[in-house]
Amino acid sequence: MKPRLNVVLVASAGLLLAAASICVQRAGAVKTNCFPELKQNEDPGRERCEQRKCEYEGQQSDNSPSCLWTRSGYIVSSVAENTNTQYSAVVTRQQDYNGPFPGSRDLDELRFSVKAISDNGLRITISDLGGVRYQVPKEALNIPEPGPTNPDATVYRWEANTSSSLLDVYQKTHPDQAIMSLLKTGFVFSDQFIQLSLGLDCQNIVGFGEHNHERLVHDRRYKRWSIFTRDAVRGISTAPIHPYFVCTDAGKHMSVLLKNSNAIEVELTPDGIVYRVLGGILDFYVFMASSPESLAQTYSAAIGHPLMPPYWSLGFQLCRWGYRNITEVQNVIARNRAIGLPYDAQYGDIDYMQNTMDFTIDATNYPGLSSMVDDLHSHGQKYFVILDPAISSDEEMHKQVLPSQRYEPYHDGLARGVYVKNLDDTVHEGEVWPGRTVFPDYTLSATQAWWERWVSDFYYNQSIRVDGLWIDMNEPASFTYEPHKPQNFCPNNTWNYPPYIPTSFIGDRFYEKTICMETKHNWGRHYDVHSLYGHSMGMQSYQTLRNLFPEKRPIVFSRSTFVGSGRYAQHWLGDNHSRWPDLHWSIITMLEFNLFGFPYNGADICGFVYDATREMCIRWTQLGAFYPFSRNHNIKEADGVRTRDQDPASWDAEAQKIMKDALFFRYKYLPYLYTLFHYAHTNGATVVRSLAHEFPNDTAAVRIDEQFLWGSAMLISPVLSPAKLSIQAYLPPEDGWYDAYTGEEVQETGFVMLDAPLEHINVHIRKGFILPWQTPSTTTVSSRQNGLGLLVAAKQLPSSNLKATGSLFWDDGESFETYTAKKFILHEFELSTDETSGNHVLVIRTPFNGYKDPNSLKFENITILGFDTSKDWSVSVNSEQHSGIRVNPNRKTLILDSLSLPLGQSHSITFAVRSAGTAVASVIAVAICALLSTAVTGNNRWSLAILN
Ligand SMILES: *[C@@H]1O[C@H](CO)[C@@H](O)[C@H](O)[C@H]1NC(C)=O
Ligand SMILES: *[C@@H]1O[C@H](CO)[C@@H](O)[C@H](O)[C@H]1NC(C)=O
Ligand SMILES: *[C@@H]1O[C@H](CO)[C@@H](O)[C@H](O)[C@H]1NC(C)=O
Ligand SMILES: *[C@@H]1O[C@H](CO)[C@@H](O)[C@H](O)[C@H]1NC(C)=O
Ligand SMILES: *[C@@H]1O[C@H](CO)[C@@H](O)[C@H](O)[C@H]1NC(C)=O
């Protein structure tokens, strides 16, 4: 069946507008809840409200708080420095002004400073005068402050200490209204409760994470989110910590990071954001740019560009928890190879371990793991193992289950003093999969050597030649303080029982499902560094792999991440459910993590918890074929019942074929995807983008979060709910689109209805772009040896001129830092039209060639969409006449095949109109040729069956 386009009468356009009209009034009037400890819509009543010296409004229908904090009590008392680029002042608390929680001491004097850190960024800090309060250590995150190129070069300006704000920040392009204000009203700075309201003159907020956001653009009806690492199936707050948001509105593009690793709560209100922070200092970084993409690149440069993933890691990957023995794993590997699935990597979850202990192998159920990994390698496939941070400390158990009766990694760690300690310097214990455990302190440099020793032992002495690490449970998770174990409790102190616990947290106890908050790490008290645990483990695991195979790119997946972890680790989107809404939510989180600096991310395909249905798993595999990180992963059991297998080969033949088609399409365009990663790694570009990100001036695109783009050029419109044979999609009219499978030009843009039979995921190519591709195979090792091609999606300009551009980054796909070592090829492609002759010219330029591919790769086929096929074209390739042309007049498609243009060299192809005499005959000839070829190509969808 072929996709068909229909225009749809969009009743829901009105809905969209209505949703968008939750309007910002003006910066300066954020309604700040005086009783944040109560749940939303819980009314403290007038009396309690007035006791707290707040204003009682009564219950409101718009979700706004019934009792408002309307006072301000910190005064800018003396200004030490005040220039265009630097401001510094002391802020003093008035005698009668106290925070809402008496258990938390209010600070009397604060240092308030503002600094221009670059043309696009400023830093605002509010801290204690003495500077002794906890701050995120520089080793964890060091944001450069080069300063502006000159004092007037900043795209922003500020005004400090106005009547209502500590600071107003303006984007210079919009001089009339501050885009952001640090409000005096509601400001509280006490030991364990800091509150600040940020007024925003800016509507569309995207970001904060990781949470399960049901829409990309935030609901601002007093919605609260907590930001504190937590072992939880995707919900209110999970492992990664990104106190960062982007706000865009009518040409304004701003983003704000709060650099703070304490527990944070944000409340999104129609007028701005209320921050409630449980420790540390306020350390804001504000960035502004002229477009969402340049803003993303500005932020990426500040926190550090993400890693370049190895080429093979863009291939499809398989994982499940609950492979009961190695035979099961081998069967899964064998059956997925047998169906010819594109499949690059296999994972081992905790099943392979002896009693789930790191660096051990279950001798009974996993004999021969080493040979299994070697077998994967000999098939061009890779292997990841999971490692958890917690180390078993149960010596009785060690005696029973380990051949040596001693768990050396544990004893070695004790000897080196690497574990997190209690206040009395004893080692802190908790409980994870192997029972009683201790927790390595990855913020301590000695831990690096210890961790590396045991990873290396596993690799060399136990001969498991892993290609990457998967670090899990690093929130850190501990089962000692689970909700159903109220008999276990951490000491009664102010760290475990802080005066305020955000109501948006999961659970009642602050330390629920983790370790006690007073415990000691090198970087500080657990209370302060809790959310840095996964980050520090990621840093040390990255360094471990750097040392283990220095020539290769390290790849580490971490469940818990912090701002800047993308320099060390990758992230999968945590534990999800095999439920339809999770398909939609995965797109939202994938887009957010591109903004957080993790372009290589993706959700568990077909869902983690519960059984996926056939239809869901098909639709999810089609969607997951476009996750930058494409992995099918499944839980062992749910509600006590073993979950069904969900790897592609476990389904029927028709399902397998549909899944393979989607993945072959992915593999075909991996050169394009890989090139996007090159720009992410070197410029901080996003790989996956929302429509609003790519088309910021298209107001209809603002709230679309069911579709996404690969780079600027490829639009993916998946089916996200059951029993759908068509979907409503939005195709921005700005440039126009082609169907990626048929090459057909899309006739209607805007909101359209797209056919979406079960075997089809809609993909469109934007006019004006050139995408490199390669004939796919079942692994990237073999696809990298195949011929290359170009898909040229021409944009037709007035006067029949054509235009399209693109690029290709190519290297060996796995060496460390080929870019800085200059061991790569960069091609730029351009289609243009010579004004005088009317000839079209396609050039392949080579701005850089520092790599020789061993496979003598060539561009073999070039397809141009949007070509005027009514004329008879003579084609010359590098000045020689070329005869292998086919055209499809109906689809305005021209194909050059049997080309042989070596990669790494520059080429030029000219298309000139032949004199009228020969035209007719040759068009007829190629049309016949086209018909013949249809029969041959059949319905191989990934082969770009342009001539079907
Ligand atoms: C800051 O502004 C307040 C209110 O407008 C004013 O009372 C105070 O003197 C100002 N502080 C300084 C140092 O100018
Ligand atoms: C592996 O596990 C499966 C399922 O429990 C079982 O049927 C099979 O006998 C096991 N094979 C080996 C070699 O232990
Ligand atoms: C902790 O100690 C304080 C002061 O003694 C007491 O008021 C509070 O109820 C205790 N909390 C818990 C959870 O035991
Ligand atoms: C959006 O509009 C602004 C102002 O009109 C313009 O400067 C900018 O280039 C446009 N952006 C895009 C991506 O078209
Ligand atoms: C190019 O097209 C020819 C003829 O259609 C085909 O045989 C060949 O496999 C194609 N090459 C690539 C790299 O796809």
Side-chain angles (χ1 to χ4, degrees):
M1 202 186 303
K2 289 203 190 62
R4 181 167 38 85
L5 285 166
N6 296 322
V7 184
V8 79
L9 294 172
V10 192
S12 58
L15 266 174
L16 275 165
L17 285 175
S21 64
I22 306 159
C23 278
V24 173
Q25 294 157 14
R26 50 179 299 271
V30 174
K31 288 184 176 175
T32 306
N33 196 339
C34 182
F35 277 82
E37 73 271 36
L38 299 185
K39 295 224 178 318
Q40 191 175 39
N41 296 329
E42 207 179 322
D43 183 7
R46 180 181 294 279
E47 198 181 323
R48 283 171 74 200
C49 180
E50 286 172 357
Q51 266 166 16
R52 221 177 244 191
K53 301 184 196 160
C54 290
E55 267 178 39
Y56 189 67
E57 300 268 288
Q59 290 244 318
Q60 304 293 307
S61 57
D62 64 354
N63 268 351
S64 68
S66 59
C67 174
L68 298 182
W69 190 283
T70 49
R71 289 169 301 134
S72 49
Y74 278 96
I75 307 261
V76 177
S77 49
S78 65
V79 177
E81 198 168 7
N82 191 1
T83 70
N84 278 351
T85 58
Q86 198 117 9
Y87 175 86
S88 169
V90 172
V91 173
T92 309
R93 184 170 64 94
Q94 289 187 309
Q95 289 267 305
D96 57 346
Y97 185 79
N98 297 100
F101 304 108
S104 183
R105 181 187 62 100
D106 297 300
L107 274 67
D108 293 332
E109 287 195 304
L110 301 166
R111 165 96 48 221
F112 169 40
S113 66
V114 189
K115 190 176 173 190
I117 59 167
S118 69
D119 291 349
N120 291 72
L122 64 149
R123 180 182 183 185
I124 305 162
T125 52
I126 305 180
S127 57
D128 54 320
L129 268 194
V132 298
R133 287 178 67 85
Y134 168 77
Q135 300 192 25
V136 174
K138 276 214 157 64
E139 304 100 285
L141 175 66
N142 190 9
I143 296 178
E145 300 185 358
T149 44
N150 73 62
D152 300 320
T154 57
V155 301
Y156 55 83
R157 65 174 187 86
W158 68 65
E159 259 171 59
N161 195 33
T162 67
S163 59
S164 61
S165 334
L166 291 167
L167 192 75
D168 285 342
V169 182
Y170 294 78
Q171 186 158 6
K172 280 181 183 168
T173 49
H174 296 75
D176 298 334
Q177 171 73 48
I179 186 168
M180 171 187 129
S181 302
L182 271 61
L183 303 181
K184 287 179 173 171
T185 300
F187 178 56
V188 170
F189 201 119
S190 66
D191 273 337
Q192 288 179 275
F193 181 82
I194 304 170
Q195 173 175 277
L196 179 78
S197 296
L198 207 62
L200 292 176
D201 180 39
C202 172
Q203 191 144 308
N204 306 304
I205 295 179
V206 172
F208 294 120
E210 179 177 14
H211 311 116
N212 209 25
H213 296 146
E214 296 184 8
R215 299 305 308 266
L216 181 63
V217 175
H218 270 278
D219 174 357
R220 292 176 64 174
R221 288 168 299 180
Y222 302 89
K223 184 98 179 142
R224 299 184 211 170
W225 298 97
S226 69
I227 303 181
F228 193 56
T229 59
R230 176 69 150 83
D231 169 20
V233 176
R234 291 171 55 72
I236 290 171
S237 171
T238 41
I241 294 305
H242 298 281
Y244 174 72
F245 72 89
V246 174
C247 200
T248 57
D249 194 357
K252 288 178 280 192
H253 304 284
M254 175 183 68
S255 69
V256 179
L257 166 70
L258 173 59
K259 191 177 83 181
N260 180 295
S261 60
N262 285 88
I264 297 171
E265 175 178 61
V266 291
E267 179 169 341
L268 290 107
T269 83
D271 308 298
I273 298 175
V274 183
Y275 286 86
R276 300 187 189 96
V277 186
L278 271 60
I281 66 165
L282 291 176
D283 196 353
F284 289 103
Y285 290 77
V286 182
F287 303 99
M288 289 179 205
S290 56
S291 73
E293 182 56 21
S294 88
L295 186 61
Q297 295 181 15
T298 301
Y299 181 62
S300 179
I303 62 169
H305 289 151
L307 295 166
M308 183 72 187
Y311 196 92
W312 60 262
S313 73
L314 303 184
F316 181 67
Q317 311 180 24
L318 261 186
C319 184
R320 90 159 280 170
W321 173 21
Y323 292 129
R324 286 160 291 198
N325 53 46
I326 192 163
T327 317
E328 267 192 33
V329 190
Q330 284 163 332
N331 288 343
V332 168
I333 295 171
R335 73 185 180 208
N336 283 285
R337 276 184 198 151
I339 65 163
L341 181 77
Y343 167 30
D344 264 81
Q346 177 62 46
Y347 285 68
D349 206 322
I350 52 176
D351 311 302
Y352 75 85
M353 300 173 179
Q354 182 68 55
N355 290 53
T356 64
M357 287 188 284
D358 281 354
F359 313 118
T360 66
I361 298 165
D362 179 340
T364 315
N365 295 308
Y366 275 80
L369 182 59
S370 163
S371 348
M372 190 195 89
V373 176
D374 295 345
D375 173 73
L376 284 167
H377 289 160
S378 69
H379 285 80
Q381 294 170 301
K382 307 292 190 286
Y383 189 64
F384 283 90
V385 283
I386 199 167
L387 287 176
D388 290 337
I391 295 294
S392 164
S393 54
D394 183 346
E395 295 186 55
E396 278 310 308
M397 190 258 276
H398 304 161
K399 279 200 183 112
Q400 285 163 26
V401 305
L402 293 173
S404 66
Q405 304 196 347
R406 237 174 97 88
Y407 183 39
E408 290 302 341
Y410 166 63
H411 292 283
D412 185 34
L414 272 184
R416 296 178 194 235
V418 304
Y419 302 123
V420 173
K421 295 186 178 62
N422 294 312
L423 287 182
D424 63 2
D425 282 332
T426 54
V427 171
H428 183 77
E429 282 198 315
E431 183 196 333
V432 194
W433 303 120
R436 259 173 45 219
T437 58
V438 293
F439 298 85
D441 174 9
Y442 294 95
T443 73
L444 188 69
S445 63
T447 310
Q448 163 71 48
W450 164 81
W451 187 239
E452 188 175 323
R453 172 179 171 190
W454 293 103
V455 172
S456 167
D457 178 82
F458 192 68
Y459 188 85
Y460 289 113
N461 298 339
Q462 305 197 55
S463 298
I464 312 296
R465 299 286 200 264
V466 298
D467 300 282
L469 296 179
W470 173 27
I471 55 176
D472 197 31
M473 307 296 282
N474 52 5
E475 292 72 36
S478 171
F479 306 153
T480 312
Y481 308 110
E482 292 197 313
H484 63 278
K485 296 175 182 165
Q487 73 279 9
N488 297 343
F489 40 84
C490 289
N492 184 0
N493 59 41
T494 193
W495 313 117
N496 292 314
Y497 297 87
Y500 174 70
I501 301 177
T503 51
S504 52
F505 272 41
I506 314 172
D508 299 326
R509 292 180 294 182
F510 189 53
Y511 51 88
E512 194 164 295
K513 244 190 157 187
T514 190
I515 64 179
C516 297
M517 293 292 157
E518 75 285 355
T519 55
K520 299 196 290 183
H521 302 248
N522 180 44
W523 282 352
R525 184 182 283 125
H526 192 76
Y527 181 85
D528 295 317
V529 303
H530 170 80
S531 290
L532 293 174
Y533 194 89
H535 180 70
S536 60
M537 186 184 184
M539 290 171 78
Q540 293 203 348
S541 300
Y542 167 84
Q543 194 54 48
T544 292
L545 292 191
R546 281 290 294 126
N547 297 345
L548 199 61
F549 24 79
E551 287 79 35
K552 288 192 186 158
R553 280 168 220 175
I555 180 158
V556 177
F557 285 93
S558 183
R559 190 165 75 185
S560 173
T561 64
F562 186 70
V563 179
S565 298
R567 296 170 62 193
Y568 311 101
Q570 309 291 0
H571 179 61
W572 86 102
L573 302 178
D575 295 347
N576 59 0
H577 287 115
S578 300
R579 289 179 182 156
W580 283 99
D582 277 75
L583 277 79
H584 179 203
W585 302 338
S586 74
I587 297 174
I588 292 164
T589 320
M590 169 172 67
L591 292 168
E592 289 170 343
F593 271 79
N594 268 268
L595 301 178
F596 298 156
F598 295 79
Y600 183 70
N601 78 72
D604 286 349
I605 294 170
C606 302
F608 183 61
V609 182
Y610 302 123
D611 279 348
T613 64
R614 175 183 189 269
E615 183 191 2
M616 180 194 296
C617 196
I618 289 174
R619 290 304 197 190
W620 209 326
T621 307
Q622 291 171 327
L623 165 62
F626 296 90
Y627 291 158
F629 168 51
S630 185
R631 182 184 72 164
N632 177 318
H633 180 34
N634 195 5
I635 201 173
K636 183 182 189 171
E637 52 185 40
D639 302 335
V641 182
R642 183 177 167 83
T643 56
R644 61 150 295 158
D645 285 353
Q646 64 181 30
D647 55 291
S650 70
W651 303 95
D652 59 89
E654 189 201 7
Q656 290 170 6
K657 178 171 186 317
I658 299 172
M659 293 179 185
K660 280 167 56 181
D661 283 348
L663 290 169
F664 274 123
F665 185 94
R666 171 191 182 87
Y667 274 52
K668 176 174 177 177
Y669 284 100
L670 287 185
Y672 172 62
L673 183 63
Y674 191 61
T675 303
L676 295 175
F677 273 103
H678 162 68
Y679 291 116
H681 176 60
T682 54
N683 299 344
T686 53
V687 168
V688 170
R689 299 173 188 170
S690 68
L691 282 167
H693 185 94
E694 189 63 24
F695 298 92
N697 293 346
D698 184 336
T699 47
V702 170
R703 277 166 189 270
I704 291 174
D705 53 18
E706 300 191 336
Q707 299 166 264
F708 57 94
L709 291 137
W710 268 14
S712 296
M714 190 186 279
L715 175 62
I716 295 103
S717 309
V719 172
L720 305 172
S721 46
K724 280 261 174 93
L725 294 175
S726 62
I727 51 165
Q728 187 194 303
Y730 182 67
L731 301 177
E734 191 174 301
D735 293 318
W737 301 87
Y738 298 100
D739 182 287
Y741 304 99
T742 63
E744 232 167 334
E745 182 173 351
V746 166
Q747 297 305 319
E748 304 284 350
T749 56
F751 286 98
V752 296
M753 219 50 198
L754 300 174
D755 274 2
L758 186 62
E759 70 278 8
H760 187 73
I761 175 166
N762 279 281
V763 182
H764 292 89
I765 308 294
R766 183 171 168 192
K767 288 187 179 181
F769 292 87
I770 301 179
L771 282 66
W773 55 266
Q774 191 167 28
T775 302
S777 298
T778 52
T779 65
T780 55
V781 168
S782 58
S783 73
R784 282 177 57 88
Q785 301 171 16
N786 294 343
L788 295 160
L790 294 179
L791 177 62
V792 182
K795 180 163 182 177
Q796 304 98 334
L797 302 175
S799 72
S800 330
N801 288 3
L802 298 182
K803 186 173 160 35
T805 55
S807 61
L808 170 67
F809 175 84
W810 194 257
D811 59 7
D812 72 7
E814 60 178 5
S815 292
F816 187 68
E817 279 304 327
T818 56
Y819 181 66
T820 39
K822 300 194 176 354
K823 291 182 180 160
F824 66 93
I825 296 167
L826 187 67
H827 277 308
E828 281 169 8
F829 314 116
E830 184 178 7
L831 173 70
S832 61
T833 302
D834 184 275
E835 293 284 348
T836 41
S837 64
N839 292 349
H840 303 309
V841 185
L842 175 64
V843 290
I844 298 180
R845 296 194 188 90
T846 316
F848 194 82
N849 181 3
Y851 174 66
K852 184 160 173 25
D853 193 280
N855 302 305
S856 309
L857 297 181
K858 297 180 181 71
F859 293 100
E860 297 177 5
N861 290 2
I862 293 176
T863 304
I864 306 181
L865 309 179
F867 210 82
D868 182 356
T869 45
S870 67
K871 295 187 182 133
D872 179 25
W873 297 94
S874 99
V875 178
S876 65
V877 175
N878 293 332
S879 309
E880 281 183 24
Q881 201 63 27
H882 183 78
S883 53
I885 321 175
R886 293 186 284 147
V887 296
N888 180 328
N890 297 337
R891 301 218 175 109
K892 295 196 190 165
T893 297
L894 179 140
I895 298 180
L896 301 180
D897 52 20
S898 55
L899 292 169
S900 183
L901 309 176
L903 178 79
Q905 296 176 18
S906 297
H907 306 283
S908 169
I909 303 175
T910 306
F911 304 84
V913 178
R914 227 191 282 269
S915 59
T918 53
V920 178
S922 96
V923 166
I924 291 170
V926 290
I928 291 169
C929 172
L931 281 170
L932 286 173
S933 130
T934 307
V936 177
T937 48
N939 58 357
N940 238 347
R941 182 156 264 139
W942 51 265
S943 68
L944 197 103
I946 296 292
L947 297 169
N948 279 8

